[in-house]
Amino acid sequence: MTFKRITAILMAAAAVALSAQAQYRLPSSHTRQHESLLSHQRPAAADYKVQPKDNLMNDLRERESLQDDELFNYNFSSQSVNAYQGMAIPATRDINVRNFVAPVKGQVTSPYGWRASFGRMHRGVDLRLSVGDTVVSAFDGKVRLTKFEAKGYGYYVVVRHDNGLETVYGHLSKFLVKPGQRIRAGQPIALGGNTGRSTGPHLHFETRFLGLAVNPEAIIDFTHGVTHKDIFTFNKASYDKSQKYGPRKKQATASKAKKASKKATASAKKSKKSSKKSSKRRR
């Protein structure tokens, strides 16, 4: 192949390349945008700062509380212990209880459940304390009620929490917070006492979900001052059973007594008939 032939082939290839470049060339506006993006790039640290762990936890709590925004604000100004009357109750609900703080250090002196001697449900637990002992909030939240009830709770506080629960603290001697006040878990809210329907100094403590009094010991290990799990699963069926347990038990006892009475009556009648037959034979 001659030199002229090689030169001609190379020139032809260059012409084809130039033609292809001209055919597939990007618009000049796109080129300018691309160059601008490259020239104005900055390190990520200039725009974003790594948040401390505490800030991340606070953000998480805020997101969780936003999910319960409707529940948290529902009928907040109610003067009743149960502010959710008439609201539909879900079958189950997972409740975050990981930041629990024991309201007092005292142990349980009276459990949740049916009180046969009073013929009513005891909707919380009684915790040992002395008059003047500090009572703290069990979870983060906002104070809904500070009130007095002579024939019941005495001086009591109701706190609505970010996790959807409400807690009730009864038989107090002094309030340390006001309605509407935002509080943290472990923050002092009152001093213990012996007010209202009380047989001695103690804290009456309730945990409620949508107004329903749930057994606090289902959530909390009071012996060690911690929750059993980070997430408590509310189950409406279990709640319904616990509410019916006392009356059913009482009715069952009455039913047994009635059956025993009938049996005794039948036995007496049978004995009487047997006695009459025996008397006739003797004659």
Side-chain angles (χ1 to χ4, degrees), residues 140-162:
D140 294 348
K142 188 183 288 186
V143 179
R144 186 169 69 79
L145 275 181
T146 57
K147 203 170 179 181
F148 177 72
E149 185 180 282
K151 295 182 179 180
Y153 293 108
Y155 288 103
Y156 69 99
V157 173
V158 178
V159 181
R160 185 172 293 183
H161 301 289
D162 298 345

mmCIF file with all atom_site columns, all heavy atoms in Angstrom, residues 140-162:
data_model
loop_
_atom_site.group_PDB
_atom_site.id
_atom_site.type_symbol
_atom_site.label_atom_id
_atom_site.label_alt_id
_atom_site.label_comp_id
_atom_site.label_asym_id
_atom_site.label_entity_id
_atom_site.label_seq_id
_atom_site.pdbx_PDB_ins_code
_atom_site.Cartn_x
_atom_site.Cartn_y
_atom_site.Cartn_z
_atom_site.occupancy
_atom_site.B_iso_or_equiv
_atom_site.pdbx_formal_charge
_atom_site.auth_seq_id
_atom_site.auth_comp_id
_atom_site.auth_asym_id
_atom_site.auth_atom_id
_atom_site.pdbx_PDB_model_num
ATOM 1   N N   . ASP A 1 140 ? -42.389 10.841 79.215 1.00 0.00 ? 140 ASP A N   1
ATOM 2   C CA  . ASP A 1 140 ? -42.477 12.196 78.670 1.00 0.00 ? 140 ASP A CA  1
ATOM 3   C C   . ASP A 1 140 ? -43.940 12.490 78.337 1.00 0.00 ? 140 ASP A C   1
ATOM 4   O O   . ASP A 1 140 ? -44.683 11.590 77.929 1.00 0.00 ? 140 ASP A O   1
ATOM 5   C CB  . ASP A 1 140 ? -41.671 12.311 77.373 1.00 0.00 ? 140 ASP A CB  1
ATOM 6   C CG  . ASP A 1 140 ? -40.177 12.135 77.586 1.00 0.00 ? 140 ASP A CG  1
ATOM 7   O OD1 . ASP A 1 140 ? -39.740 12.149 78.750 1.00 0.00 ? 140 ASP A OD1 1
ATOM 8   O OD2 . ASP A 1 140 ? -39.463 11.977 76.581 1.00 0.00 ? 140 ASP A OD2 1
ATOM 9   N N   . GLY A 1 141 ? -44.341 13.751 78.498 1.00 0.00 ? 141 GLY A N   1
ATOM 10  C CA  . GLY A 1 141 ? -45.714 14.088 78.139 1.00 0.00 ? 141 GLY A CA  1
ATOM 11  C C   . GLY A 1 141 ? -46.116 15.482 78.553 1.00 0.00 ? 141 GLY A C   1
ATOM 12  O O   . GLY A 1 141 ? -45.272 16.366 78.713 1.00 0.00 ? 141 GLY A O   1
ATOM 13  N N   . LYS A 1 142 ? -47.425 15.649 78.727 1.00 0.00 ? 142 LYS A N   1
ATOM 14  C CA  . LYS A 1 142 ? -47.980 16.955 79.093 1.00 0.00 ? 142 LYS A CA  1
ATOM 15  C C   . LYS A 1 142 ? -49.054 16.749 80.166 1.00 0.00 ? 142 LYS A C   1
ATOM 16  O O   . LYS A 1 142 ? -49.881 15.839 80.071 1.00 0.00 ? 142 LYS A O   1
ATOM 17  C CB  . LYS A 1 142 ? -48.593 17.627 77.870 1.00 0.00 ? 142 LYS A CB  1
ATOM 18  C CG  . LYS A 1 142 ? -49.013 19.069 78.102 1.00 0.00 ? 142 LYS A CG  1
ATOM 19  C CD  . LYS A 1 142 ? -49.680 19.655 76.863 1.00 0.00 ? 142 LYS A CD  1
ATOM 20  C CE  . LYS A 1 142 ? -48.694 19.906 75.764 1.00 0.00 ? 142 LYS A CE  1
ATOM 21  N NZ  . LYS A 1 142 ? -49.323 20.609 74.614 1.00 0.00 ? 142 LYS A NZ  1
ATOM 22  N N   . VAL A 1 143 ? -49.016 17.585 81.191 1.00 0.00 ? 143 VAL A N   1
ATOM 23  C CA  . VAL A 1 143 ? -49.986 17.495 82.278 1.00 0.00 ? 143 VAL A CA  1
ATOM 24  C C   . VAL A 1 143 ? -51.366 17.878 81.746 1.00 0.00 ? 143 VAL A C   1
ATOM 25  O O   . VAL A 1 143 ? -51.541 18.947 81.165 1.00 0.00 ? 143 VAL A O   1
ATOM 26  C CB  . VAL A 1 143 ? -49.600 18.434 83.448 1.00 0.00 ? 143 VAL A CB  1
ATOM 27  C CG1 . VAL A 1 143 ? -50.636 18.341 84.569 1.00 0.00 ? 143 VAL A CG1 1
ATOM 28  C CG2 . VAL A 1 143 ? -48.219 18.088 83.977 1.00 0.00 ? 143 VAL A CG2 1
ATOM 29  N N   . ARG A 1 144 ? -52.340 17.003 81.966 1.00 0.00 ? 144 ARG A N   1
ATOM 30  C CA  . ARG A 1 144 ? -53.711 17.282 81.517 1.00 0.00 ? 144 ARG A CA  1
ATOM 31  C C   . ARG A 1 144 ? -54.595 17.765 82.661 1.00 0.00 ? 144 ARG A C   1
ATOM 32  O O   . ARG A 1 144 ? -55.427 18.661 82.476 1.00 0.00 ? 144 ARG A O   1
ATOM 33  C CB  . ARG A 1 144 ? -54.330 16.044 80.860 1.00 0.00 ? 144 ARG A CB  1
ATOM 34  C CG  . ARG A 1 144 ? -55.701 16.306 80.241 1.00 0.00 ? 144 ARG A CG  1
ATOM 35  C CD  . ARG A 1 144 ? -56.174 15.170 79.372 1.00 0.00 ? 144 ARG A CD  1
ATOM 36  N NE  . ARG A 1 144 ? -56.499 13.962 80.125 1.00 0.00 ? 144 ARG A NE  1
ATOM 37  C CZ  . ARG A 1 144 ? -57.644 13.775 80.797 1.00 0.00 ? 144 ARG A CZ  1
ATOM 38  N NH1 . ARG A 1 144 ? -58.557 14.723 80.831 1.00 0.00 ? 144 ARG A NH1 1
ATOM 39  N NH2 . ARG A 1 144 ? -57.859 12.638 81.429 1.00 0.00 ? 144 ARG A NH2 1
ATOM 40  N N   . LEU A 1 145 ? -54.437 17.174 83.847 1.00 0.00 ? 145 LEU A N   1
ATOM 41  C CA  . LEU A 1 145 ? -55.286 17.535 84.984 1.00 0.00 ? 145 LEU A CA  1
ATOM 42  C C   . LEU A 1 145 ? -54.482 17.613 86.279 1.00 0.00 ? 145 LEU A C   1
ATOM 43  O O   . LEU A 1 145 ? -53.601 16.785 86.526 1.00 0.00 ? 145 LEU A O   1
ATOM 44  C CB  . LEU A 1 145 ? -56.382 16.486 85.188 1.00 0.00 ? 145 LEU A CB  1
ATOM 45  C CG  . LEU A 1 145 ? -57.691 16.569 84.404 1.00 0.00 ? 145 LEU A CG  1
ATOM 46  C CD1 . LEU A 1 145 ? -58.599 15.418 84.817 1.00 0.00 ? 145 LEU A CD1 1
ATOM 47  C CD2 . LEU A 1 145 ? -58.388 17.893 84.646 1.00 0.00 ? 145 LEU A CD2 1
ATOM 48  N N   . THR A 1 146 ? -54.794 18.585 87.102 1.00 0.00 ? 146 THR A N   1
ATOM 49  C CA  . THR A 1 146 ? -54.405 18.603 88.522 1.00 0.00 ? 146 THR A CA  1
ATOM 50  C C   . THR A 1 146 ? -55.696 18.939 89.254 1.00 0.00 ? 146 THR A C   1
ATOM 51  O O   . THR A 1 146 ? -56.256 20.019 89.072 1.00 0.00 ? 146 THR A O   1
ATOM 52  C CB  . THR A 1 146 ? -53.329 19.670 88.817 1.00 0.00 ? 146 THR A CB  1
ATOM 53  O OG1 . THR A 1 146 ? -53.813 20.962 88.418 1.00 0.00 ? 146 THR A OG1 1
ATOM 54  C CG2 . THR A 1 146 ? -52.030 19.370 88.080 1.00 0.00 ? 146 THR A CG2 1
ATOM 55  N N   . LYS A 1 147 ? -56.185 18.007 90.054 1.00 0.00 ? 147 LYS A N   1
ATOM 56  C CA  . LYS A 1 147 ? -57.556 18.153 90.566 1.00 0.00 ? 147 LYS A CA  1
ATOM 57  C C   . LYS A 1 147 ? -57.686 17.532 91.957 1.00 0.00 ? 147 LYS A C   1
ATOM 58  O O   . LYS A 1 147 ? -56.795 16.786 92.400 1.00 0.00 ? 147 LYS A O   1
ATOM 59  C CB  . LYS A 1 147 ? -58.507 17.456 89.585 1.00 0.00 ? 147 LYS A CB  1
ATOM 60  C CG  . LYS A 1 147 ? -59.946 17.922 89.616 1.00 0.00 ? 147 LYS A CG  1
ATOM 61  C CD  . LYS A 1 147 ? -60.707 17.329 88.436 1.00 0.00 ? 147 LYS A CD  1
ATOM 62  C CE  . LYS A 1 147 ? -62.173 17.744 88.448 1.00 0.00 ? 147 LYS A CE  1
ATOM 63  N NZ  . LYS A 1 147 ? -62.916 17.150 87.313 1.00 0.00 ? 147 LYS A NZ  1
ATOM 64  N N   . PHE A 1 148 ? -58.812 17.816 92.621 1.00 0.00 ? 148 PHE A N   1
ATOM 65  C CA  . PHE A 1 148 ? -59.091 17.240 93.937 1.00 0.00 ? 148 PHE A CA  1
ATOM 66  C C   . PHE A 1 148 ? -60.431 16.525 93.912 1.00 0.00 ? 148 PHE A C   1
ATOM 67  O O   . PHE A 1 148 ? -61.423 17.025 93.374 1.00 0.00 ? 148 PHE A O   1
ATOM 68  C CB  . PHE A 1 148 ? -59.123 18.319 95.023 1.00 0.00 ? 148 PHE A CB  1
ATOM 69  C CG  . PHE A 1 148 ? -59.474 17.776 96.384 1.00 0.00 ? 148 PHE A CG  1
ATOM 70  C CD1 . PHE A 1 148 ? -58.563 17.002 97.106 1.00 0.00 ? 148 PHE A CD1 1
ATOM 71  C CD2 . PHE A 1 148 ? -60.730 18.014 96.942 1.00 0.00 ? 148 PHE A CD2 1
ATOM 72  C CE1 . PHE A 1 148 ? -58.891 16.481 98.357 1.00 0.00 ? 148 PHE A CE1 1
ATOM 73  C CE2 . PHE A 1 148 ? -61.061 17.514 98.190 1.00 0.00 ? 148 PHE A CE2 1
ATOM 74  C CZ  . PHE A 1 148 ? -60.136 16.737 98.899 1.00 0.00 ? 148 PHE A CZ  1
ATOM 75  N N   . GLU A 1 149 ? -60.462 15.331 94.493 1.00 0.00 ? 149 GLU A N   1
ATOM 76  C CA  . GLU A 1 149 ? -61.690 14.533 94.578 1.00 0.00 ? 149 GLU A CA  1
ATOM 77  C C   . GLU A 1 149 ? -61.757 13.947 95.986 1.00 0.00 ? 149 GLU A C   1
ATOM 78  O O   . GLU A 1 149 ? -61.024 13.015 96.325 1.00 0.00 ? 149 GLU A O   1
ATOM 79  C CB  . GLU A 1 149 ? -61.654 13.414 93.530 1.00 0.00 ? 149 GLU A CB  1
ATOM 80  C CG  . GLU A 1 149 ? -62.924 12.604 93.437 1.00 0.00 ? 149 GLU A CG  1
ATOM 81  C CD  . GLU A 1 149 ? -62.810 11.509 92.385 1.00 0.00 ? 149 GLU A CD  1
ATOM 82  O OE1 . GLU A 1 149 ? -62.936 11.817 91.184 1.00 0.00 ? 149 GLU A OE1 1
ATOM 83  O OE2 . GLU A 1 149 ? -62.551 10.348 92.774 1.00 0.00 ? 149 GLU A OE2 1
ATOM 84  N N   . ALA A 1 150 ? -62.636 14.496 96.810 1.00 0.00 ? 150 ALA A N   1
ATOM 85  C CA  . ALA A 1 150 ? -62.683 14.140 98.232 1.00 0.00 ? 150 ALA A CA  1
ATOM 86  C C   . ALA A 1 150 ? -62.987 12.671 98.486 1.00 0.00 ? 150 ALA A C   1
ATOM 87  O O   . ALA A 1 150 ? -62.423 12.060 99.399 1.00 0.00 ? 150 ALA A O   1
ATOM 88  C CB  . ALA A 1 150 ? -63.716 15.016 98.946 1.00 0.00 ? 150 ALA A CB  1
ATOM 89  N N   . LYS A 1 151 ? -63.889 12.074 97.686 1.00 0.00 ? 151 LYS A N   1
ATOM 90  C CA  . LYS A 1 151 ? -64.312 10.701 97.946 1.00 0.00 ? 151 LYS A CA  1
ATOM 91  C C   . LYS A 1 151 ? -63.628 9.682  97.026 1.00 0.00 ? 151 LYS A C   1
ATOM 92  O O   . LYS A 1 151 ? -64.097 8.555  96.882 1.00 0.00 ? 151 LYS A O   1
ATOM 93  C CB  . LYS A 1 151 ? -65.831 10.593 97.796 1.00 0.00 ? 151 LYS A CB  1
ATOM 94  C CG  . LYS A 1 151 ? -66.594 11.410 98.829 1.00 0.00 ? 151 LYS A CG  1
ATOM 95  C CD  . LYS A 1 151 ? -68.084 11.238 98.672 1.00 0.00 ? 151 LYS A CD  1
ATOM 96  C CE  . LYS A 1 151 ? -68.860 12.048 99.718 1.00 0.00 ? 151 LYS A CE  1
ATOM 97  N NZ  . LYS A 1 151 ? -70.329 11.890 99.576 1.00 0.00 ? 151 LYS A NZ  1
ATOM 98  N N   . GLY A 1 152 ? -62.540 10.095 96.423 1.00 0.00 ? 152 GLY A N   1
ATOM 99  C CA  . GLY A 1 152 ? -61.845 9.192  95.509 1.00 0.00 ? 152 GLY A CA  1
ATOM 100 C C   . GLY A 1 152 ? -60.340 9.385  95.539 1.00 0.00 ? 152 GLY A C   1
ATOM 101 O O   . GLY A 1 152 ? -59.672 9.037  96.502 1.00 0.00 ? 152 GLY A O   1
ATOM 102 N N   . TYR A 1 153 ? -59.826 9.992  94.476 1.00 0.00 ? 153 TYR A N   1
ATOM 103 C CA  . TYR A 1 153 ? -58.379 10.135 94.299 1.00 0.00 ? 153 TYR A CA  1
ATOM 104 C C   . TYR A 1 153 ? -57.717 11.129 95.255 1.00 0.00 ? 153 TYR A C   1
ATOM 105 O O   . TYR A 1 153 ? -56.501 11.146 95.377 1.00 0.00 ? 153 TYR A O   1
ATOM 106 C CB  . TYR A 1 153 ? -58.070 10.606 92.880 1.00 0.00 ? 153 TYR A CB  1
ATOM 107 C CG  . TYR A 1 153 ? -58.384 9.617  91.788 1.00 0.00 ? 153 TYR A CG  1
ATOM 108 C CD1 . TYR A 1 153 ? -59.466 9.829  90.931 1.00 0.00 ? 153 TYR A CD1 1
ATOM 109 C CD2 . TYR A 1 153 ? -57.588 8.493  91.578 1.00 0.00 ? 153 TYR A CD2 1
ATOM 110 C CE1 . TYR A 1 153 ? -59.750 8.944  89.896 1.00 0.00 ? 153 TYR A CE1 1
ATOM 111 C CE2 . TYR A 1 153 ? -57.864 7.603  90.548 1.00 0.00 ? 153 TYR A CE2 1
ATOM 112 C CZ  . TYR A 1 153 ? -58.943 7.831  89.712 1.00 0.00 ? 153 TYR A CZ  1
ATOM 113 O OH  . TYR A 1 153 ? -59.221 6.956  88.691 1.00 0.00 ? 153 TYR A OH  1
ATOM 114 N N   . GLY A 1 154 ? -58.513 11.959 95.924 1.00 0.00 ? 154 GLY A N   1
ATOM 115 C CA  . GLY A 1 154 ? -57.908 13.044 96.696 1.00 0.00 ? 154 GLY A CA  1
ATOM 116 C C   . GLY A 1 154 ? -57.281 14.032 95.728 1.00 0.00 ? 154 GLY A C   1
ATOM 117 O O   . GLY A 1 154 ? -57.838 14.312 94.657 1.00 0.00 ? 154 GLY A O   1
ATOM 118 N N   . TYR A 1 155 ? -56.105 14.575 96.050 1.00 0.00 ? 155 TYR A N   1
ATOM 119 C CA  . TYR A 1 155 ? -55.373 15.401 95.095 1.00 0.00 ? 155 TYR A CA  1
ATOM 120 C C   . TYR A 1 155 ? -54.729 14.447 94.085 1.00 0.00 ? 155 TYR A C   1
ATOM 121 O O   . TYR A 1 155 ? -54.015 13.512 94.469 1.00 0.00 ? 155 TYR A O   1
ATOM 122 C CB  . TYR A 1 155 ? -54.297 16.232 95.791 1.00 0.00 ? 155 TYR A CB  1
ATOM 123 C CG  . TYR A 1 155 ? -54.856 17.364 96.622 1.00 0.00 ? 155 TYR A CG  1
ATOM 124 C CD1 . TYR A 1 155 ? -54.918 17.266 98.020 1.00 0.00 ? 155 TYR A CD1 1
ATOM 125 C CD2 . TYR A 1 155 ? -55.327 18.530 96.022 1.00 0.00 ? 155 TYR A CD2 1
ATOM 126 C CE1 . TYR A 1 155 ? -55.442 18.303 98.789 1.00 0.00 ? 155 TYR A CE1 1
ATOM 127 C CE2 . TYR A 1 155 ? -55.856 19.570 96.781 1.00 0.00 ? 155 TYR A CE2 1
ATOM 128 C CZ  . TYR A 1 155 ? -55.918 19.449 98.162 1.00 0.00 ? 155 TYR A CZ  1
ATOM 129 O OH  . TYR A 1 155 ? -56.445 20.470 98.917 1.00 0.00 ? 155 TYR A OH  1
ATOM 130 N N   . TYR A 1 156 ? -54.988 14.686 92.789 1.00 0.00 ? 156 TYR A N   1
ATOM 131 C CA  . TYR A 1 156 ? -54.433 13.781 91.787 1.00 0.00 ? 156 TYR A CA  1
ATOM 132 C C   . TYR A 1 156 ? -54.003 14.530 90.527 1.00 0.00 ? 156 TYR A C   1
ATOM 133 O O   . TYR A 1 156 ? -54.462 15.633 90.238 1.00 0.00 ? 156 TYR A O   1
ATOM 134 C CB  . TYR A 1 156 ? -55.413 12.665 91.443 1.00 0.00 ? 156 TYR A CB  1
ATOM 135 C CG  . TYR A 1 156 ? -56.657 13.076 90.675 1.00 0.00 ? 156 TYR A CG  1
ATOM 136 C CD1 . TYR A 1 156 ? -56.739 12.905 89.295 1.00 0.00 ? 156 TYR A CD1 1
ATOM 137 C CD2 . TYR A 1 156 ? -57.774 13.601 91.329 1.00 0.00 ? 156 TYR A CD2 1
ATOM 138 C CE1 . TYR A 1 156 ? -57.876 13.246 88.591 1.00 0.00 ? 156 TYR A CE1 1
ATOM 139 C CE2 . TYR A 1 156 ? -58.921 13.944 90.642 1.00 0.00 ? 156 TYR A CE2 1
ATOM 140 C CZ  . TYR A 1 156 ? -58.972 13.764 89.270 1.00 0.00 ? 156 TYR A CZ  1
ATOM 141 O OH  . TYR A 1 156 ? -60.112 14.115 88.572 1.00 0.00 ? 156 TYR A OH  1
ATOM 142 N N   . VAL A 1 157 ? -53.089 13.889 89.792 1.00 0.00 ? 157 VAL A N   1
ATOM 143 C CA  . VAL A 1 157 ? -52.543 14.428 88.542 1.00 0.00 ? 157 VAL A CA  1
ATOM 144 C C   . VAL A 1 157 ? -52.770 13.404 87.435 1.00 0.00 ? 157 VAL A C   1
ATOM 145 O O   . VAL A 1 157 ? -52.600 12.200 87.646 1.00 0.00 ? 157 VAL A O   1
ATOM 146 C CB  . VAL A 1 157 ? -51.030 14.711 88.670 1.00 0.00 ? 157 VAL A CB  1
ATOM 147 C CG1 . VAL A 1 157 ? -50.439 15.121 87.310 1.00 0.00 ? 157 VAL A CG1 1
ATOM 148 C CG2 . VAL A 1 157 ? -50.764 15.795 89.705 1.00 0.00 ? 157 VAL A CG2 1
ATOM 149 N N   . VAL A 1 158 ? -53.183 13.896 86.262 1.00 0.00 ? 158 VAL A N   1
ATOM 150 C CA  . VAL A 1 158 ? -53.279 13.046 85.079 1.00 0.00 ? 158 VAL A CA  1
ATOM 151 C C   . VAL A 1 158 ? -52.319 13.607 84.030 1.00 0.00 ? 158 VAL A C   1
ATOM 152 O O   . VAL A 1 158 ? -52.358 14.799 83.723 1.00 0.00 ? 158 VAL A O   1
ATOM 153 C CB  . VAL A 1 158 ? -54.706 13.013 84.496 1.00 0.00 ? 158 VAL A CB  1
ATOM 154 C CG1 . VAL A 1 158 ? -54.745 12.157 83.233 1.00 0.00 ? 158 VAL A CG1 1
ATOM 155 C CG2 . VAL A 1 158 ? -55.699 12.477 85.529 1.00 0.00 ? 158 VAL A CG2 1
ATOM 156 N N   . VAL A 1 159 ? -51.437 12.743 83.514 1.00 0.00 ? 159 VAL A N   1
ATOM 157 C CA  . VAL A 1 159 ? -50.475 13.151 82.492 1.00 0.00 ? 159 VAL A CA  1
ATOM 158 C C   . VAL A 1 159 ? -50.754 12.370 81.210 1.00 0.00 ? 159 VAL A C   1
ATOM 159 O O   . VAL A 1 159 ? -50.908 11.148 81.248 1.00 0.00 ? 159 VAL A O   1
ATOM 160 C CB  . VAL A 1 159 ? -49.022 12.886 82.940 1.00 0.00 ? 159 VAL A CB  1
ATOM 161 C CG1 . VAL A 1 159 ? -48.042 13.338 81.851 1.00 0.00 ? 159 VAL A CG1 1
ATOM 162 C CG2 . VAL A 1 159 ? -48.721 13.607 84.254 1.00 0.00 ? 159 VAL A CG2 1
ATOM 163 N N   . ARG A 1 160 ? -50.850 13.089 80.107 1.00 0.00 ? 160 ARG A N   1
ATOM 164 C CA  . ARG A 1 160 ? -50.978 12.428 78.802 1.00 0.00 ? 160 ARG A CA  1
ATOM 165 C C   . ARG A 1 160 ? -49.593 12.369 78.179 1.00 0.00 ? 160 ARG A C   1
ATOM 166 O O   . ARG A 1 160 ? -48.898 13.369 78.074 1.00 0.00 ? 160 ARG A O   1
ATOM 167 C CB  . ARG A 1 160 ? -51.950 13.175 77.888 1.00 0.00 ? 160 ARG A CB  1
ATOM 168 C CG  . ARG A 1 160 ? -52.198 12.442 76.569 1.00 0.00 ? 160 ARG A CG  1
ATOM 169 C CD  . ARG A 1 160 ? -53.310 13.092 75.759 1.00 0.00 ? 160 ARG A CD  1
ATOM 170 N NE  . ARG A 1 160 ? -54.606 12.953 76.405 1.00 0.00 ? 160 ARG A NE  1
ATOM 171 C CZ  . ARG A 1 160 ? -55.754 13.382 75.866 1.00 0.00 ? 160 ARG A CZ  1
ATOM 172 N NH1 . ARG A 1 160 ? -55.749 13.967 74.681 1.00 0.00 ? 160 ARG A NH1 1
ATOM 173 N NH2 . ARG A 1 160 ? -56.896 13.229 76.506 1.00 0.00 ? 160 ARG A NH2 1
ATOM 174 N N   . HIS A 1 161 ? -49.217 11.162 77.752 1.00 0.00 ? 161 HIS A N   1
ATOM 175 C CA  . HIS A 1 161 ? -47.839 10.935 77.300 1.00 0.00 ? 161 HIS A CA  1
ATOM 176 C C   . HIS A 1 161 ? -47.710 10.857 75.790 1.00 0.00 ? 161 HIS A C   1
ATOM 177 O O   . HIS A 1 161 ? -48.669 10.552 75.070 1.00 0.00 ? 161 HIS A O   1
ATOM 178 C CB  . HIS A 1 161 ? -47.297 9.654  77.944 1.00 0.00 ? 161 HIS A CB  1
ATOM 179 C CG  . HIS A 1 161 ? -47.297 9.699  79.436 1.00 0.00 ? 161 HIS A CG  1
ATOM 180 N ND1 . HIS A 1 161 ? -46.425 10.496 80.147 1.00 0.00 ? 161 HIS A ND1 1
ATOM 181 C CD2 . HIS A 1 161 ? -48.074 9.077  80.349 1.00 0.00 ? 161 HIS A CD2 1
ATOM 182 C CE1 . HIS A 1 161 ? -46.659 10.344 81.443 1.00 0.00 ? 161 HIS A CE1 1
ATOM 183 N NE2 . HIS A 1 161 ? -47.659 9.499  81.589 1.00 0.00 ? 161 HIS A NE2 1
ATOM 184 N N   . ASP A 1 162 ? -46.492 11.089 75.322 1.00 0.00 ? 162 ASP A N   1
ATOM 185 C CA  . ASP A 1 162 ? -46.203 11.066 73.889 1.00 0.00 ? 162 ASP A CA  1
ATOM 186 C C   . ASP A 1 162 ? -46.442 9.693  73.273 1.00 0.00 ? 162 ASP A C   1
ATOM 187 O O   . ASP A 1 162 ? -46.656 9.581  72.067 1.00 0.00 ? 162 ASP A O   1
ATOM 188 C CB  . ASP A 1 162 ? -44.741 11.467 73.636 1.00 0.00 ? 162 ASP A CB  1
ATOM 189 C CG  . ASP A 1 162 ? -44.443 12.888 74.118 1.00 0.00 ? 162 ASP A CG  1
ATOM 190 O OD1 . ASP A 1 162 ? -45.411 13.631 74.371 1.00 0.00 ? 162 ASP A OD1 1
ATOM 191 O OD2 . ASP A 1 162 ? -43.265 13.239 74.237 1.00 0.00 ? 162 ASP A OD2 1
#
